[in-house]
Amino acid sequence: MNEASQPADIAPLLDRPEDHPQEEAATHDGCRVMLIDSARYCDERNQGDVVIAASYCGVLPVRLVAPHRPRGVIAHDVGIAADGSGIAGLWYLEALGIPAAATAAESAELGNARDMFDAGTISRVNILAERCGVVPGMPLAEAAALLATRDPGNRDATTKVRRETKQSDGAGHSIVVTDSIVFALEEDAANVLVTAGHTGKTGAVFIEAVSPRGFICADGGPAKNGSGTSGLAALDEAGLPGACYDISTAGMGDAFDAWERGLVSATNQLAARRGVRPGQTVQHAAALLLADTETTANTEPSETWTEWPEGSPWLQSGVVAAVSQKFANGLARVRDVTDADGALTAAQKALFMASAAAVKGHSAMTERELRRAVDGGITLDAVRGAGIAVLISRGEGVFERFRDAAHVVLGPHTFVANQAMRPPVTPTSTDEAFAYFTEYFGFVPPYIELMAAHAPAALDGYVLMRQFALAENLLEARLVELLLCTVNAAEFFARFVDVHAGGARRAGASEAQVVEAVVCAIPVAGVASWLPGADGIAAGVDTVAGSAG
Amino acid sequence: MNDAVERQSVALSNARGRVMCMDSAYDVAAANTDRDVVVNASYCGVLPARFVGRHRPRGAVGVDCGVGPAGAGIAGLWYLEALRVPAAAADVMSSRLGDGEDLFRRGVISHVNEPAGCCGVERGMSVADAATRMLEVDPVDRAADAIDNREVMLTTESGRAVVCTDSIAFGRPGDEHNVLVTAGHTGRSAVPYLTKVRPFGFICSDGGRGAEDSGIVGLELANALGLAGATVDALGAAMGDGHSTYVDGVISACNELATSAGVRIGMAASDAALLLAQRRADVATINDIDEEKGTR
């Protein structure tokens, strides 16, 4: 793909030593601190020097510096830049045993090493620089002196363990921060561990082997099938309370960053019972896990309730009961189904009601039900998945309402912006699109044929959105289909309840779950939703019976 | 170590080595050194790269975990590049985290380091294809200067080329006729390179601007030399990757000569490059420049 690289032609510029202006800024114990405006100016004179280069700290500039074996390197972070390309050189240099740090973009001019030395402050470090004592926020000149005089210890390209005890309860339990669960010690069975790997299948195996008092790990981003947090449920079964932090709030692999800046994105049931919730800081959540005190909220079976169901403020406040005790009891019986664990969990149903409320334009109710869903243990990714479900079903305005509510309940990290540009896509052929719908419906509906004939690009988009939203979503497929049953019942569309009840059944939902999902439309859209909802359910049952017969 | 080997499964095998699948980077073992491509369903951060790097396998594939803040999900690619280990990351939404066999079966590559690129691994390729190439092709050891990723993206009717290359320092004789799309910042230290290359047009990075807009100060200095140029926003295009400037870049600033050619802030870099290549050279023709030796 590339033009052949011909060494004779390569980078003919600035090969001569007189093209490499350098300035000596300081010496410490015989080690020079040298200023160069471009990484390109580094040469064999710099072996053993601390080099301050006013280039960005990317891989390309440090490739030019590393062969000359400086003792340490400081370059410019250029505001980190896309995909961390402004500081990627830190990791390249670490592998070669060279301590390195980056300067904060706003503290110093690019291309001006003197300004970096005089005014720059450190923003990022590699682990070797950290072991020389360099920390973010430090003036650059001070960092340069440390790199010139301190020994980082083992420079080999191999494992480096960081571990620190942050808090102890005086009863033999502590919060320990270490970058990976594989760095845990036997004594950590008594401790809460804050680590920075993902919480998928492999993470769970390591966590169970350690069996800590509590754990907080990374969520691994929006990984396919929720596989970055799938270990949480398995660890519930192992009796281990824990949570994940959102890796858009703190870096993976850096548990100390998670401790300082991380926010919880998901918890397991045992952690939820200890008060851990999405949106909390990692420090708060770790303290709750250290305290290990079970709360009783949401754990009592519905039979023992003596108060109104929690979901309806009109029942809770007594406004409805003041008009009619009987009517209030009736609504409460419906809410007993929608607000308590049954065929579906209370939290799942609250998420469905929040989605339906967003569709109907009820912002306050969206927020209220979303808060109940989250308090009941619904994960950040499930909320994101529900947002995508209402987006495909009812469009961007509804998504906006849902997102606004999610940000009030969970904080602004629920739906973050991704700087990535539009990725390439291979268009779906009409045959492929038809095959997709045939697999889903058993035939190609006429409205799909119409789109294929006149707006094939829109059909392509429809297929892409539908494939993700219904099958690959952050919320599991069965729950997406059930959520759309609630939404369409609330909109009085029997036809779409039929479609999604069918989808839910194929994804493994029971009849009781389908019915509960449709009942969830009643608090949102009234009993008027039940008739079309029931029609939709019944139509599908007929189809299934028919095809079986 | 034996435990680690037991947690690996063979996906491919030939005389050169094997492609081994494993659920975690922690499972890479001494048996893989210089022999196997390790497909591991960990993220591609520095921490797992240290596990991989100490055993120096033939190649490595991990998961990008959505890249994350400061590129933490792919930072290990650059660590492994320094050790000359070809490495690539797969899009986190293409396979299940913690499942190495699933990564091999379904993963799609999103980011590659330079040695992996040498093996022929590209963004968009399946993990299976990428691992196969790493197994079959040895990356050539190249000097830093030789890694310029130069490619002619298009040539206009008048014979001017739009050329992507990772740094303005990699400009070549003849580029005075071309538009160079590069990926360093446009601060004062870029000016000596611009002065020597004298490209017909250029697009570089704004380097995140920097204190006192120092990342784009070169635009005005270049304008005074008769060079039309623009910068792209470093938040949207990866620095050090000229192709990213061309494909992902959005114009964040431009000098007067570029503005005269129709370049505007907010424009796609590829559109701006074409406008620069098509601009009339009446302000500063190549001959003028040769005669005046940059005295403008």
Side-chain angles (χ1 to χ4, degrees):
Chain A
M1 159 178 141
N2 290 359
E3 231 176 72
S5 294
Q6 297 171 1
D9 284 345
I10 293 309
L13 298 168
L14 306 178
D15 273 348
R16 298 166 305 164
E18 60 267 34
D19 289 331
H20 296 184
Q22 303 198 350
E23 181 192 348
E24 185 178 314
T27 41
H28 304 280
D29 296 349
C31 173
R32 303 188 303 168
V33 176
M34 299 300 291
L35 307 183
I36 52 178
D37 286 344
S38 168
R40 179 80 180 156
Y41 303 161
C42 188
D43 58 31
E44 62 280 359
R45 291 173 289 174
N46 298 116
Q47 186 177 350
D49 291 341
V50 171
V51 171
I52 314 298
S55 293
Y56 64 104
C57 197
V59 173
L60 189 152
V62 306
R63 280 187 200 128
L64 299 168
V65 170
H68 305 300
R69 302 303 308 178
R71 180 187 173 98
V73 175
I74 304 178
H76 199 284
D77 80 3
V78 292
I80 312 300
D83 296 344
S85 54
I87 57 166
L90 296 176
W91 326 124
Y92 185 101
L93 291 170
E94 179 193 326
L96 299 176
I98 300 174
T103 311
E106 65 280 7
S107 71
E109 288 186 17
L110 264 165
N112 186 345
R114 171 46 75 176
D115 189 51
M116 275 175 63
F117 187 77
D118 291 341
T121 55
I122 300 299
S123 61
R124 305 277 175 157
V125 296
N126 69 13
I127 198 166
L128 299 174
E130 181 178 302
R131 289 183 173 185
C132 291
V134 180
V135 292
M138 180 178 274
L140 186 143
E142 191 183 329
L146 289 171
L147 293 180
T149 53
R150 296 273 186 91
D151 177 6
N154 182 2
R155 293 166 186 261
D156 294 344
T158 185
T159 306
K160 304 279 190 295
V161 177
R162 298 194 301 173
R163 181 186 166 94
E164 198 177 311
T165 299
K166 292 289 186 185
Q167 249 178 57
S168 292
D169 67 356
H173 307 294
S174 300
I175 298 173
V176 172
V177 177
T178 188
D179 288 329
S180 171
I181 187 70
V182 302
F183 299 155
L185 307 176
E186 212 162 297
E187 70 200 50
D188 288 329
N191 297 331
V192 173
L193 285 176
V194 177
T195 68
H198 65 77
T199 319
K201 175 180 145 187
T202 39
V205 172
F206 290 123
I207 294 166
E208 193 171 351
V210 179
S211 282
R213 182 181 181 86
F215 64 88
I216 298 176
C217 306
D219 67 7
K224 187 159 196 171
N225 299 337
S227 51
T229 57
S230 58
L232 283 176
L235 292 164
D236 251 334
E237 287 171 25
L240 300 172
C244 298
Y245 71 88
D246 182 344
I247 63 161
S248 67
T249 62
M252 280 197 78
D254 189 341
F256 293 81
D257 193 31
W259 175 254
E260 293 299 331
R261 300 193 300 158
L263 298 179
V264 171
S265 61
T267 78
N268 66 10
Q269 291 294 322
L270 290 170
R273 277 188 219 151
R274 283 153 182 79
V276 180
R277 296 283 183 276
Q280 284 171 346
T281 64
V282 165
Q283 295 195 16
H284 183 192
L288 290 168
L289 293 171
L290 183 66
D292 199 24
T293 309
E294 287 210 28
T295 59
T296 52
N298 299 339
T299 56
E300 297 172 47
S302 56
E303 288 76 6
T304 67
W305 287 11
T306 52
E307 296 182 2
W308 297 109
E310 62 176 34
S312 170
W314 311 114
L315 290 176
Q316 293 254 317
S317 63
V319 167
V320 180
V323 177
S324 163
Q325 197 71 44
K326 182 174 180 176
F327 187 93
N329 259 327
L331 178 53
R333 292 301 287 155
V334 174
R335 278 284 188 175
D336 284 346
V337 174
T338 60
D339 294 9
D341 290 345
L344 293 164
T345 69
Q348 288 164 346
K349 286 181 280 196
L351 184 64
F352 297 172
M353 287 191 280
S355 305
V359 168
K360 299 298 280 184
H362 310 321
S363 298
M365 189 173 189
T366 307
E367 192 181 311
R368 213 159 50 227
E369 295 297 341
L370 205 50
R371 191 175 299 281
R372 291 182 50 241
V374 168
D375 285 349
I378 284 291
T379 66
L380 195 53
D381 272 347
V383 172
R384 289 168 174 155
I388 294 300
V390 297
L391 175 53
I392 186 176
S393 179
R394 291 301 188 277
E396 294 180 14
V398 170
F399 173 73
E400 192 173 340
R401 186 178 297 116
F402 185 87
R403 185 211 63 159
D404 288 349
H407 282 193
V408 171
V409 173
L410 284 160
H413 293 286
T414 313
F415 291 98
V416 294
N418 181 349
Q419 297 287 349
M421 302 297 283
R422 180 175 172 168
V425 59
T426 313
T428 315
S429 71
T430 304
D431 286 349
E432 287 168 329
F434 283 4
Y436 167 75
F437 286 104
T438 304
E439 191 185 340
Y440 190 88
F441 291 109
F443 62 101
V444 180
Y447 58 87
I448 296 301
E449 288 176 347
L450 183 68
M451 209 181 217
H454 301 291
L459 180 62
D460 194 18
Y462 182 18
V463 171
L464 289 173
M465 289 195 292
R466 207 172 188 284
Q467 283 174 335
F468 178 81
L470 270 66
E472 302 159 12
N473 206 335
L474 305 177
L475 183 63
E476 70 170 280
R478 178 180 57 96
L479 296 177
V480 171
E481 298 279 11
L482 290 169
L483 181 153
L484 293 172
C485 289
T486 309
V487 162
N488 283 298
E491 296 261 87
F492 317 126
F493 286 137
R495 180 176 173 187
F496 296 141
V497 173
D498 174 20
V499 166
H500 293 294
R505 290 181 190 111
R506 283 194 296 279
S510 67
E511 222 44 40
Q513 290 175 335
V514 173
V515 170
E516 279 195 6
V518 172
V519 168
C520 282
I522 296 177
V524 183
V527 289
S529 63
W530 175 247
L531 190 63
D535 282 349
I537 296 172
V541 171
D542 289 349
T543 307
V544 171
S547 64
Chain B
M1 280 317 146
N2 285 336
D3 279 0
V5 172
E6 281 166 17
R7 288 195 293 269
Q8 302 186 358
S9 62
V10 183
L12 281 175
S13 178
N14 68 18
R16 286 169 56 82
R18 304 166 299 176
V19 174
M20 304 299 288
C21 298
M22 57 208 76
D23 293 346
S24 166
Y26 193 62
D27 298 334
V28 178
N32 303 123
T33 303
D34 293 330
R35 176 183 179 204
D36 300 329
V37 176
V38 295
V39 175
N40 66 90
S42 290
Y43 64 107
C44 269
V46 172
L47 190 147
R50 291 182 191 127
F51 293 141
V52 176
R54 67 179 167 177
H55 295 305
R56 306 206 184 212
R58 185 183 289 283
V61 180
V63 182
D64 72 10
C65 280
V67 182
I74 58 169
L77 297 178
W78 325 123
Y79 183 100
L80 292 171
E81 174 175 331
L83 304 176
R84 300 304 301 160
V85 176
D91 185 325
V92 70
M93 293 309 288
S94 66
S95 69
R96 288 194 298 269
L97 267 170
D99 185 338
E101 291 179 9
D102 192 56
L103 175 59
F104 180 79
R105 245 188 340 262
R106 297 196 297 174
V108 177
I109 299 297
S110 62
H111 293 83
V112 300
N113 70 7
E114 187 276 328
C118 263
C119 296
V121 179
E122 292 175 4
R123 176 175 167 175
M125 187 177 269
S126 71
V127 168
D129 284 350
T132 305
R133 294 205 186 192
M134 287 178 186
L135 179 62
E136 289 175 353
V137 182
D138 289 324
V140 184
D141 234 343
R142 296 192 292 176
D145 286 0
I147 306 167
D148 61 3
N149 293 313
R150 187 181 170 96
E151 184 181 5
V152 175
M153 307 309 288
L154 59 87
T155 305
T156 64
E157 284 177 9
S158 58
R160 298 196 188 280
V162 171
V163 179
C164 283
T165 187
D166 289 344
S167 168
I168 187 68
F170 298 147
R172 296 180 185 177
D175 280 339
E176 64 271 21
H177 302 290
N178 299 331
V179 173
L180 288 184
V181 179
T182 71
H185 65 78
T186 318
R188 67 177 199 174
S189 51
V191 176
Y193 304 106
L194 287 165
T195 309
K196 297 212 172 188
V197 180
R198 302 206 65 95
F200 187 69
F202 67 89
I203 300 178
C204 305
S205 174
D206 69 11
R209 298 275 183 157
E212 324 299 341
D213 263 351
S214 51
I216 60 170
V217 72
L219 285 177
E220 285 319 302
L221 299 169
N223 200 73
L225 297 168
L227 303 176
T231 58
V232 296
D233 184 348
L235 283 177
M239 290 196 71
D241 181 346
H243 286 78
S244 179
T245 302
Y246 189 73
V247 175
D248 304 322
V250 173
I251 300 298
S252 61
C254 51
N255 65 19
E256 203 182 316
L257 288 167
T259 306
S260 303
V263 177
R264 297 287 180 272
I265 292 170
M267 188 176 267
S270 52
D271 294 339
L274 183 60
L275 287 170
L276 289 172
Q278 290 170 335
R279 84 187 172 95
R280 290 183 57 203
D282 51 4
V283 177
T285 65
I286 293 157
N287 288 339
D288 284 345
I289 290 166
D290 282 343
E291 282 160 21
E292 294 176 19
K293 295 288 177 200
T295 53
R296 276 171 171 277

